[in-house]
Amino acid sequence: MKVLVTGGAGFIGNNFIRYWLNKYPEDKITNLDKLTYAGHLSSTKDFEGNPNYQFIKGDICDAGMVNEAMEGVELVVHFAAESHVDRSIEGPQVFIQSNVVGTQVLLDAAIKHKVKRFHHVSTDEVFGALKLEDKEKFNEKTIYNPRSPYAASKAASDHLVRAYFTTYDLPITITNCSNNVGPYQDPEKFFSRSITNLIDNQKVYVYGDGLYVRDWLYVLDHCRAIDMVIKKGKVGETYLIGGLTEDVPNIEVAKKMARLLGKDESFIELGKDRVGHDRRYAVDWTKINKELGWEPELGFDEVLQKTIEWYQKNEWWWRPLKEEAEALYARTGQK
Ligand code: NAD
Ligand code: TDX
């Protein structure tokens, strides 16, 4: 089968391609990626020579290029997006362009080329924010309430994907996943930024009061869930994917990281808050568990340990990216 992956030089995309090439060695994968600041060919180095893998540098908003890449494709797995909330606050326009217009260009091409499945990779941020005391978590029936330009652009893309199913019968599936962590995550995100700061004897900057909560999931557990939805999921359906069953506030995450890296709490600083900061994300993943048998393999402590070890062993990968990531925080005042 010929598979088109968009955004495969980014964090989740490269992990997904590596996973898929190993699990389905007979498939041929084309990776279409614009190589924005978040796309790195260093992340695909270990499989770039695989005869079943091909890289195309291109923009998903470029219909000509997308149509060429879609030739003979049966499965599209769509990761390409601007993905960082802090950058969307600084400059929303590119989020609308890549995440909304780019998705629409891909959907049109998918119809033209009669693809058998268009899988859209989305986020739990489309649902807005839970309160710390809320009992009910996000589920497939939760009403959309995006609160950052990033979340709004992803919400728009989800609506478009569903509209193409209803209007044009395009065989789609959607997954909305919680916060991923693991190998090859750009050091701009909380986990990867904090771990690499600590390795460099720098502080972890925890936004606001530190009582914000995210639902952390190991990236390969996400890749396995996408695989299951593609192979066994029902066309037209949405599946939510999440990790933790108990809340861990960001400040506790930072403390655990510091401890594991041999640092005391003087390496943690409560800092400037994010504008419109969503208080809490928590995902109810009962549907994918009951219908497809998915559950996360790794608990939070294992996720943290494995992720720290990867960044300790792979400085060659993250060190060249650190300056660009910290330049963002110098501009936004988050150090
Ligand atoms: P990332 O920022 O690490 O990677 C995005 C990739 O997309 C990069 O390689 C970039 O070059 C590429 N890209 C961006 N705009 C493009 C364009 N116009 N044309 C072609 N390529 C383009 O992102 P990520 O963390 O790997 O996230 C991947 C997808 O998963 C996104 O759609 C995101 O919304 C979703 N998601 C992410 C998380 C998370 O925790 N990281 C959680 C749930 C869902
Ligand atoms: O230095 C930091 N200090 C800090 O306290 C950074 C970078 C973040 N934070 C906080 C903000 C959030 O509460 O940590 C939490 C996680 O922040 P991010 O890593 O920026 O992730 P988040 O905003 O939750 O969004 C992520 O998860 C959902 C991804 O970036 C999205 O692409 C995905 O859709």
Side-chain angles (χ1 to χ4, degrees), residues 6-14 31-40 56-62 78-84 94 97-99 102 120-125 150 154 157 175-181 184-186 188-189 216-217 219 222 226 241:
T6 69
F11 164 46
I12 308 175
N14 86 75
N31 173 12
L32 175 65
D33 195 299
K34 189 181 175 182
L35 296 183
T36 67
Y37 82 93
H40 314 297
I56 301 176
K57 183 173 186 303
D59 191 332
I60 54 167
C61 302
D62 176 345
H78 176 32
F79 294 93
E82 288 292 333
S83 72
H84 193 27
V94 67
Q97 189 61 23
S98 290
N99 300 3
H120 180 56
V121 180
S122 194
T123 170
D124 61 355
E125 298 199 17
Y150 162 68
K154 291 297 291 187
S157 70
T175 43
N176 293 85
C177 187
S178 63
N179 287 60
N180 283 219
V181 293
Y184 302 102
Q185 183 167 38
D186 195 284
E188 68 181 359
K189 302 281 164 66
W216 306 104
L217 180 73
V219 62
H222 184 190
I226 295 172
I241 306 166

Side-chain angles (χ1 to χ4, degrees), residues 44-58:
T44 60
K45 229 178 164 36
D46 57 311
F47 55 76
E48 69 186 6
N50 186 315
N52 283 341
Y53 172 76
Q54 182 200 8
F55 175 68
I56 301 176
K57 183 173 186 303

Side-chain angles (χ1 to χ4, degrees), residues 100-139:
V100 185
V101 177
T103 300
Q104 180 255 318
V105 170
L106 282 167
L107 288 165
D108 280 343
I111 289 173
K112 192 167 159 195
H113 292 272
K114 299 187 170 54
V115 304
K116 297 208 169 92
R117 177 70 67 87
F118 186 101
H119 183 76
H120 180 56
V121 180
S122 194
T123 170
D124 61 355
E125 298 199 17
V126 298
F127 302 116
L130 295 168
K131 296 193 179 74
L132 290 178
E133 62 275 16
D134 280 347
K135 290 279 172 282
E136 192 161 315
K137 298 180 173 186
F138 297 141
N139 61 55

Side-chain angles (χ1 to χ4, degrees), residues 62-77:
D62 176 345
M65 179 155 261
V66 164
N67 274 294
E68 236 172 80
M70 201 88 71
E71 205 66 59
V73 164
E74 288 180 42
L75 166 66
V76 176
V77 191

Side-chain angles (χ1 to χ4, degrees), residues 116-117 165 169-173 229 233-237 239:
K116 297 208 169 92
R117 177 70 67 87
F165 169 68
D169 271 338
L170 182 68
I172 64 102
T173 36
V229 170
K234 211 168 136 207
V235 168
E237 293 280 313
Y239 297 85

Side-chain angles (χ1 to χ4, degrees), residues 83-86 123-125 150 177-180 188-191 193-194 205-207 212 214 216 250 274 277-278 281 329:
S83 72
H84 193 27
V85 175
D86 289 323
T123 170
D124 61 355
E125 298 199 17
Y150 162 68
C177 187
S178 63
N179 287 60
N180 283 219
E188 68 181 359
K189 302 281 164 66
F190 179 56
F191 243 67
R193 182 188 187 203
S194 303
Y205 299 104
V206 180
Y207 294 174
Y212 294 88
R214 296 296 182 264
W216 306 104
N250 289 344
R274 174 182 281 173
H277 198 169
D278 287 341
Y281 303 146
Y329 298 114

